């Protein structure tokens, strides 16, 4: 390809390709140029936002150059690529990350200060890219960072929502949702108006005979919506490698604008059709661990899968290889079941459009996909009704039926005696209406299925996929324990700690190989190091206290023990257990003499997280936390001994402030419910300890850091079933201190008790599904142990430092290498050296 361009042209191009800046002066020049010419602003109306924009555009120029080279390099190398399909990418802010990855933050900071601005103020102007709900979406973002940093040829595919996850406001103690329109100014995306795909919906299937007399199915009629590509560069850390995240936006297809209507004066309704097409990618569904079976959601899924598959197939076809090479050139990872439609879609492309026979096509399809399961919660498992499917995607329904038929024939032959097996493993659930079980389709159409922590990967094999282990054998199932990127969650969020570590380890190499952290164990007893470590934690707490003062108007003491639970609000995550514990503590304080109170370890209980807008119980929990805060924070008897804070609108950029400031964080889900959790890893990496149940990745964290460095409590996953049973059918008495908490609530101590009756009754009368009462005593006892441990400051800091030193395993780099080796079979592609 290169040779086809004449030398003089190449030389001219090379001569004029921008080189990018390296000094503060060069950065300033680029920044000012963008402010003046791209934004049409000047010295006299240049505020912090304009300066953010100028800075972002200057760095974008730099990323784009690397990105162009990377894409060209990947095309020429013609090796296997990974495609990560995810409906959510919770990216957060991009500028700080770009500056650090390129290694030019200091240069920019110097330049900015010469222009009269502080780096911190500029960085905080950026709007979070919040195209995700919680852990699942953030994991996808960490994976992109690792894929780029490790030089894997990889693309992310997602949807370009016009509205990301809603903004949360707290009004009178209640959550109010405000739309997150985030695209006013987004310098990080490139609209590719030339890269479009027509996506079909509805219609019917007709059968025809081709020239050889074989029957072919043709999907006809219905409507067409256009997918337009928006590309986002994803820079790697200290590498030129810059990958692509392609997000699809929906638009009315070009032929779709109804000129008939237009000419007959129905201009408005013609525009309305246009808008209807655009609603497909308009909004992120705000549910975490819950599926609601809405038609528009299914439309989103197909729209995105079909556009991505078309794109992937188009790229493959350019290589002129034969179809059997497809699985050796293409690995597609399904982030949960949301992209499962990609499986029947690829089968449809191969059979209906490319003319392969069914068996050959299926052998290609089922070697291409890998499926990651992220939850065993029954309410989160996707099922779509057959009538809805029939209406929206008639051809795909036929294909799914055929996949199922072939599969069931195989099962029948293999297990002729187990007559119930067929209905248990069928993709179609024989309910009314019939339902398509997406997890089964994903599993059957993939060559590997993985869970996200050891316990979770074991659980899927004994619960939801038990029969499939018999059918396919255990080797189809594997585990990849989640991880986090140390670039964002240590280097960016906690720069002082990152520098301290670098000063002891002889550089920042640990940010690329996190296992190097183990060398910090040599400094556990080093006085200077300990002092510095403590000072950093204190400074981070001061920063959070400042934020709390600004946001909540409450003064908190930075020397108090900061106890943090920030994550989506969900009954299984048990924020209710935490707030009941806080009430218990409050009652205890009230019963003490002033002398006794003085001996207490002062505590700040910090909560944050969004409730799904339709999740009433979760909203009640938020309300209770705020009501408790109102009472406790204004009680003169309590003073510094206890403060209760609910931080509004928890998101990635707030997490970057909160995580480094925690002393103890709570990961207290009912055992067996949290697939992994990833914020647990972030807190430990930042030198905070955790209180947790034996659930998800807490178990592996314990194994790595040692039992002495974590506060575990509560029942085990294996006991949950029996405990639930005994609530419903056994004799059972409520723990007396929990009873006292409930009495305080029903006495109206925190306002109108009727507001909270469902929360209490769920435990007292309706079986306590999440086993709050079973774990309450053990939880409170463990909180007391934490107070005791905190009093022994020397030992406390030893635990914190040891924890950091032992967190090397939880880098998302390790995850990505595991996926690459066990599932994708792809190799890194280092950037080409400049000649
Ligand atoms: C989740 C799990 O709940 C969470 O434990 C896990 O860490 C995360 C990433 O694997 O995936 N599953 C899920 O449906 N959501 C999650 O965050 C929304």
């Amino acid at each position: 390809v290169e040779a086809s361009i004449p030398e003089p042209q190449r030389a001219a191009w090379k001569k004029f390709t921008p080189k990018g800046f390296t000094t503060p002066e060069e950065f300033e020049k680029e920044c000012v140029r963008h402010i003046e010419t791209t934004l049409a602003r000047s010295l006299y109306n240049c505020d912090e936002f304009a300066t953010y924009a100028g800075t972002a555009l200057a760095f974008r120029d730099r990323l784009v150059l690397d990105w162009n080279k990377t894409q060209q390099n990947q095309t020429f190398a013609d090796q296997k690529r990974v495609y990560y399909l995810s409906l959510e990418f919770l990216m957060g802010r991009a500028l700080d990350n770009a500056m650090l990855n390129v290694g030019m933050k200091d240069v920019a900071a110097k330049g900015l200060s010469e222009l009269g601005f502080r780096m911190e103020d500029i960085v905080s102007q950026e709007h979070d890219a919040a195209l995700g709900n919680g852990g699942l979406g953030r994991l996808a973002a960490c994976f992109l960072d690792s894929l780029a940093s490790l030089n894997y040829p990889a693309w992310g595919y997602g949807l370009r929502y016009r509205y990301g996850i809603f903004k949360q406001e707290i009004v009178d103690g209640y959550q109010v949702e405000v739309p997150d329109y985030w695209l006013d100014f987004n310098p990080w995306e490139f609209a590719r108006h030339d890269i479009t795909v027509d996506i079909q919906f509805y219609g019917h299937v007709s059968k025809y005979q081709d020239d050889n007399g074989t029957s072919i199915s043709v999907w006809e009629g219905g409507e067409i919506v256009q997918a337009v590509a928006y590309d986002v560069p994803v820079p790697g850390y200290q590498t030129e490698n810059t990958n692509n995240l392609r997000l699809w936006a929906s638009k009315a297809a070009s032929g779709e604008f109804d000129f008939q209507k237009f000419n007959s004066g129905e201009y408005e309704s013609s525009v309305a059709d246009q808008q209807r097409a655009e609603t497909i990618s308009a909004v992120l569904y705000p549910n975490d661990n819950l599926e609601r079976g809405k038609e528009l959601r299914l439309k989103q899924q197909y729209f995105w899968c079909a556009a991505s598959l078309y794109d992937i197939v188009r790229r493959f076809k350019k290589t002129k290889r034969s179809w059997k090479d497809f699985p050796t050139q293409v690995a597609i990872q399904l982030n949960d079941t949301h992209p499962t439609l990609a499986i029947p879609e690829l089968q449809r492309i191969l059979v209906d459009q490319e003319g392969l026979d069914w068996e050959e096509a299926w052998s290609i399809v089922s070697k291409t996909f890998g499926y990651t399961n992220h939850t065993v919660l029954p309410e989160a498992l996707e099922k779509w009704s057959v009538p809805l499917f029939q209406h929206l995607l008639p051809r795909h329904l036929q294909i799914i039926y055929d996949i199922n038929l072939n599969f069931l024939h195989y099962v029948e032959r293999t297990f002729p005696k187990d007559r119930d097996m067929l209905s248990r493993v069928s993709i179609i659930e024989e309910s009314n209406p019939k339902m398509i079980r997406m997890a089964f389709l994903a599993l059957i159409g993939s060559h590997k299925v993985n869970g996200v922590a050891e316990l979770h990967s074991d659980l899927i094999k004994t619960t939801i996929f038990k029969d499939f282990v018999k059918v396919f054998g255990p080797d189809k199932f594997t585990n990849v324990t989640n991880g986090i990127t140390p670039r964002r969650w240590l280097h960016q969020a906690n720069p002082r700690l990152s520098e301290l570590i670098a000063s002891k380890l002889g550089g920042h190499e640990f940010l690329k190989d996190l296992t190097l952290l183990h060398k910090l164990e040599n400094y556990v007893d080093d006085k200077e190091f300990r002092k510095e470590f403590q000072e950093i934690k204190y400074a981070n707490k001061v920063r959070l206290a400042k934020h709390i003062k600004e946001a909540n108007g409450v003064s908190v003491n930075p020397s108090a023990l900061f106890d943090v639970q920030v994550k989506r609000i969900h009954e299984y995550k048990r924020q209710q257990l935490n707030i009941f514990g806080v009430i218990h503590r409050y009652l205890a304080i009230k019963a003490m003499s002033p002398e006794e109170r003085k001996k207490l370890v002062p505590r700040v209980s910090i909560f944050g997280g969004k409730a799904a807008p339709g999740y009433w119980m979760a909203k009640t929990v938020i309300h209770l936390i705020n009501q408790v805060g109102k009472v406790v924070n204004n009680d003169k008897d309590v003073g510094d001994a206890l403060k209760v804070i609910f931080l509004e609108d928890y998101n990635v950029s707030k997490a970057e402030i909160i995580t480094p400031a925690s002393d103890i964080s709570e990961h207290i889900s009912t055992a067996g419910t949290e697939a992994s959790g990833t914020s647990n890893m972030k807190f430990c990496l930042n030198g905070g300890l955790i209180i947790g149940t034996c659930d998800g990745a807490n178990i592996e964290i314990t194994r790595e850091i040692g039992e002495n460095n974590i506060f575990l409590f509560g029942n085990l996953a294996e006991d949950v079933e029996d405990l639930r049973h005994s609530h419903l059918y056994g004799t059972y008495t409520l723990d007396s201190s929990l009873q006292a908490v409930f009495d305080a609530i029903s006495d109206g101590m925190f306002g109108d008790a009727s507001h909270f009756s469902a929360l209490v009754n769920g435990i007292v009368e309706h079986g306590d599904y999440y086993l709050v009462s079973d774990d309450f005593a053990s939880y409170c006892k463990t909180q007391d142990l934490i107070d005791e441990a905190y009093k022994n400051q020397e030992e406390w800091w030893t635990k914190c430092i040891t924890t950091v030193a032992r967190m090397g395993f939880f880098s998302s780099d390790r995850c990505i290498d595991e996926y690459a080796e066990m599932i994708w079979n792809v190799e890194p592609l280092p950037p080409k050296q400049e000649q």
Side-chain angles (χ1 to χ4, degrees):
V1 182
E2 256 177 347
S4 69
I5 299 167
E7 174 54 29
Q9 244 166 284
R10 271 196 278 162
W13 197 274
K14 208 164 174 188
K15 183 169 161 198
F16 295 116
T17 303
K19 297 284 176 294
F21 55 86
T22 52
T23 65
E25 291 71 34
E26 285 166 354
F27 162 75
E28 283 170 70
K29 187 175 155 202
E30 290 303 301
C31 184
V32 171
R33 181 175 69 78
H34 275 299
I35 293 171
E36 289 273 352
T37 62
T38 315
L39 305 170
R41 310 263 294 241
S42 71
L43 174 61
Y44 302 100
N45 63 0
C46 180
D47 54 13
E48 286 175 348
F49 186 78
T51 309
Y52 154 68
T55 307
L57 289 164
F59 274 91
R60 181 180 85 165
D61 287 348
R62 163 67 195 262
L63 293 194
V64 168
L65 296 172
D66 289 352
W67 189 33
N68 289 342
K69 279 192 250 172
T70 304
Q71 296 314 314
Q72 200 184 44
N73 190 23
Q74 289 185 8
T75 305
F76 291 155
D78 192 29
Q79 69 177 56
K80 190 171 188 177
R81 282 196 180 97
V82 180
Y83 296 103
Y84 197 77
L85 267 58
S86 179
L87 257 193
E88 303 191 5
F89 288 95
L90 194 45
M91 304 293 282
R93 291 176 177 152
L95 175 59
D96 207 358
N97 181 248
M99 292 189 296
L100 290 168
N101 278 13
V102 168
M104 210 85 80
K105 188 172 177 180
D106 293 344
V107 169
K110 192 135 184 275
L112 284 173
S113 97
E114 281 173 17
L115 293 171
F117 293 94
R118 283 191 340 165
M119 177 59 91
E120 221 184 292
D121 301 330
I122 298 312
V123 162
S124 66
Q125 293 298 311
E126 185 173 353
H127 199 117
D128 275 39
L131 307 183
N133 276 285
L136 177 144
R138 183 55 229 176
L139 184 75
C142 283
F143 280 6
L144 290 183
D145 184 80
S146 285
L147 283 162
S149 298
L150 297 169
N151 296 323
Y152 283 103
W155 286 49
Y157 275 108
L159 277 183
R160 178 184 181 267
Y161 303 109
R162 234 175 316 133
Y163 297 90
I165 188 67
F166 63 87
K167 286 192 174 301
Q168 179 192 55
E169 287 180 7
I170 301 296
V171 180
D172 297 332
Y174 292 96
Q175 167 175 298
V176 173
E177 299 94 26
V178 177
D180 169 47
Y181 183 77
W182 68 292
L183 291 168
D184 271 339
F185 176 74
N186 178 12
W188 306 108
E189 65 173 14
F190 288 80
R192 304 288 194 193
H193 294 292
D194 55 327
I195 301 177
T196 62
V197 187
D198 283 348
I199 309 293
Q200 186 177 3
F201 290 105
Y202 307 108
H204 58 270
V205 181
S206 303
K207 277 211 185 279
Y208 297 94
Q209 305 263 309
D210 71 6
D211 298 344
N212 308 323
T214 34
S215 105
I216 47 170
S217 298
V218 181
W219 180 16
E220 295 171 325
E223 61 178 55
I224 304 288
V225 177
Q226 195 177 61
V228 184
Y230 284 75
D231 288 346
V232 183
V234 181
Y237 176 69
Q238 288 186 350
T239 168
E240 181 187 280
N241 189 63
T242 303
N243 284 341
N244 194 23
L245 168 61
R246 177 158 287 178
L247 303 175
W248 298 104
S250 62
K251 223 180 114 186
S254 33
E256 194 74 340
F257 194 84
D258 194 335
F259 284 99
Q260 207 69 41
K261 277 187 186 171
F262 182 67
N263 289 329
S264 62
E266 291 178 62
Y267 174 68
E268 285 170 8
S269 90
S270 166
V271 171
D273 291 347
Q274 192 95 5
Q275 283 182 340
R276 210 163 54 87
E278 288 176 16
T279 54
I280 292 180
S281 62
V283 51
L284 165 76
Y285 275 89
N287 302 315
D288 183 282
N289 268 296
L290 177 75
E291 263 317 310
R292 286 177 159 278
K294 289 267 179 23
E295 174 169 347
L296 183 61
R297 167 82 166 187
L298 187 59
K299 275 184 119 170
Q300 289 188 333
Q301 294 186 347
Y302 180 64
F303 172 82
W304 152 63
C305 288
S308 307
L309 252 290
Y310 183 91
D311 210 40
I312 294 166
V313 167
R314 170 168 63 188
R315 196 167 300 121
F316 173 78
K317 283 172 81 167
K318 277 199 207 151
T319 67
K320 305 262 190 267
R321 289 169 187 267
S322 84
W323 283 111
K324 71 169 176 23
D325 290 346
F326 193 81
T328 65
Q329 289 297 103
V330 174
I332 303 178
Q333 191 64 26
L334 307 174
N335 196 25
D336 215 288
T337 54
H338 317 147
T340 302
L341 278 168
I343 291 170
E345 175 66 3
L346 181 58
Q347 182 73 3
R348 186 183 74 86
I349 293 172
L350 296 178
V351 173
D352 294 359
Q353 295 178 346
E354 301 294 336
L356 273 66
D357 71 39
W358 179 278
E359 290 305 324
E360 192 185 357
W362 184 247
S363 130
I364 292 167
V365 170
S366 53
K367 285 185 195 122
T368 300
F369 292 97
Y371 156 50
T372 306
N373 174 282
H374 292 270
T375 185
V376 292
L377 297 188
E379 65 270 30
L381 294 180
E382 277 192 294
K383 288 177 188 175
W384 291 105
S385 98
V386 167
L388 171 59
F389 231 88
Q390 168 70 50
H391 183 54
L392 190 68
L393 301 166
R395 179 60 184 138
H396 294 80
L397 183 63
Q398 292 180 342
I399 290 171
I400 291 170
Y401 271 129
D402 286 345
I403 293 170
N404 197 37
L405 198 68
N406 290 337
F407 173 66
L408 292 182
H409 279 320
Y410 171 76
V411 174
E412 200 171 27
R413 284 197 304 273
T414 322
F415 302 92
K417 291 198 183 114
D418 192 346
R419 296 173 93 242
D420 294 338
M421 175 83 119
L422 292 185
S423 68
R424 290 202 307 270
V425 300
S426 173
I427 296 171
I428 309 297
E429 182 182 274
E430 295 295 329
S431 44
N432 188 15
K434 290 185 184 169
M435 302 295 275
I436 304 174
R437 297 156 161 165
M438 300 304 270
F440 290 6
L441 177 57
L443 184 156
I444 292 163
S446 297
H447 69 101
K448 279 274 184 209
V449 176
N450 75 284
V452 290
E454 274 177 23
L455 173 69
H456 170 66
S457 297
D458 288 343
L459 276 175
I460 60 176
K461 285 194 283 184
T462 53
T463 59
I464 51 177
F465 299 145
K466 189 174 170 192
D467 291 308
F468 292 92
V469 177
K470 287 190 213 147
V471 174
F472 291 105
D475 292 350
K476 179 159 181 159
F477 298 84
T478 185
N479 172 60
V480 182
T481 298
N482 283 167
I484 55 171
T485 168
R487 271 78 61 180
R488 182 173 296 258
W489 297 113
L490 179 53
H491 193 45
Q492 183 183 321
N494 202 345
R496 273 186 71 186
L497 184 57
S498 181
E499 292 317 308
L500 175 64
I501 296 170
S503 74
K504 296 300 174 199
L505 269 47
H508 289 95
E509 205 47 35
F510 66 96
L511 293 170
K512 288 194 272 188
D513 174 4
L514 202 62
T515 62
L516 294 174
L517 283 181
H518 77 88
K519 295 190 193 159
L520 277 185
E521 296 221 30
N522 297 332
Y523 297 89
V524 174
D525 299 319
D526 179 315
K527 275 221 173 73
E528 273 303 300
F529 180 83
R530 292 172 67 93
K531 187 162 158 270
E532 182 82 19
F533 188 94
Q534 289 172 46
E535 276 172 17
I536 291 168
K537 179 61 81 181
Y538 186 79
N540 290 329
K541 288 167 72 175
V542 169
R543 179 157 103 122
L544 179 56
K546 192 166 158 258
H547 175 80
I548 291 172
K549 179 76 192 170
E550 283 162 13
N552 297 48
V554 179
S555 301
V556 301
N557 176 1
S559 302
L561 190 153
F562 280 19
D563 172 340
V564 180
Q565 188 176 19
V566 285
K567 48 183 83 229
R568 286 299 289 253
I569 313 292
H570 209 299
E571 285 164 281
Y572 86 82
K573 296 181 189 279
R574 298 201 298 189
Q575 283 90 357
Q576 68 276 38
L577 175 59
N578 184 345
I579 194 65
F580 293 155
V582 169
I583 296 173
H584 169 73
R585 179 176 287 258
Y586 175 61
L587 298 176
I589 294 171
K590 292 294 277 182
M592 286 176 187
S593 68
E595 287 68 41
E596 285 174 307
R597 285 180 195 146
K598 280 199 197 103
K599 286 189 218 133
L600 291 174
V601 175
R603 210 185 257 247
V604 184
S605 274
I606 299 165
F607 294 82
K610 295 173 187 178
Y615 192 170
W616 194 68
M617 202 63 116
K619 289 182 150 179
T620 304
V621 171
I622 292 178
H623 186 212
L624 179 60
I625 294 168
N626 281 302
Q627 289 299 106
V628 172
K630 215 160 89 183
V631 172
V632 172
N633 300 344
N634 294 306
D635 190 330
K636 295 276 180 305
D637 292 346
V638 176
D640 264 3
L642 182 61
K643 288 276 179 279
V644 182
I645 303 295
F646 190 93
L647 282 175
E648 194 175 72
D649 200 39
Y650 177 62
N651 61 13
V652 172
S653 54
K654 297 229 170 71
E656 290 167 16
I657 300 172
I658 298 165
T659 315
S662 135
D663 294 306
I664 198 99
S665 66
E666 310 221 7
H667 309 276
I668 58 177
S669 48
T670 312
T673 62
E674 188 72 273
S676 163
T678 41
S679 75
N680 42 7
M681 302 166 189
K682 294 166 198 167
F683 284 105
C684 290
L685 186 58
N686 282 280
L689 303 183
I690 68 187
I691 176 170
T693 43
C694 293
D695 200 20
N698 290 352
I699 297 171
E700 286 152 86
I701 292 175
T702 308
R703 191 164 66 207
E704 292 293 312
I705 69 177
E707 272 179 49
N708 291 333
N709 298 312
I710 185 166
F711 298 93
L712 290 177
F713 73 97
N715 286 285
L716 302 180
E718 63 215 51
D719 301 321
V720 165
E721 212 184 290
D722 286 347
L723 287 167
R724 282 186 179 150
H725 187 87
S726 75
H727 272 285
L728 293 174
Y729 308 107
T731 52
Y732 178 80
T733 45
L734 195 65
D735 176 272
S736 61
S737 48
L738 186 57
Q739 184 63 58
V741 168
F742 291 165
D743 291 343
I745 294 173
S746 57
D747 287 349
M749 190 179 272
F750 308 105
D752 189 343
S754 69
H755 282 151
F756 310 114
S757 53
L759 197 56
V760 174
N761 287 342
I763 295 166
V764 183
E765 289 171 22
H766 303 303
D768 192 8
Y769 188 76
Y770 296 101
L771 306 179
V772 170
S773 60
D774 300 86
D775 284 345
F776 189 72
S778 151
Y779 174 73
C780 294
K781 207 175 100 202
T782 307
Q783 285 288 16
D784 293 343
L785 288 177
I786 290 170
D787 287 328
E788 284 315 305
Y790 198 70
K791 284 182 191 157
N792 187 342
Q793 283 279 299
E794 283 312 312
E795 221 170 278
W796 182 272
W797 293 109
T798 300
K799 287 183 200 293
C800 296
I801 295 167
T802 311
T803 296
V804 176
R806 296 179 182 175
M807 284 302 287
F809 179 73
F810 298 99
S811 168
S812 48
D813 295 347
R814 187 262 317 148
C815 303
I816 289 301
D817 280 331
E818 286 182 12
Y819 277 99
E821 197 187 316
M822 292 195 304
I823 299 175
W824 304 330
N825 193 23
V826 306
E827 299 288 332
L829 174 64
K832 230 165 92 182
Q833 298 301 316
E834 285 305 320
Q835 300 103 343

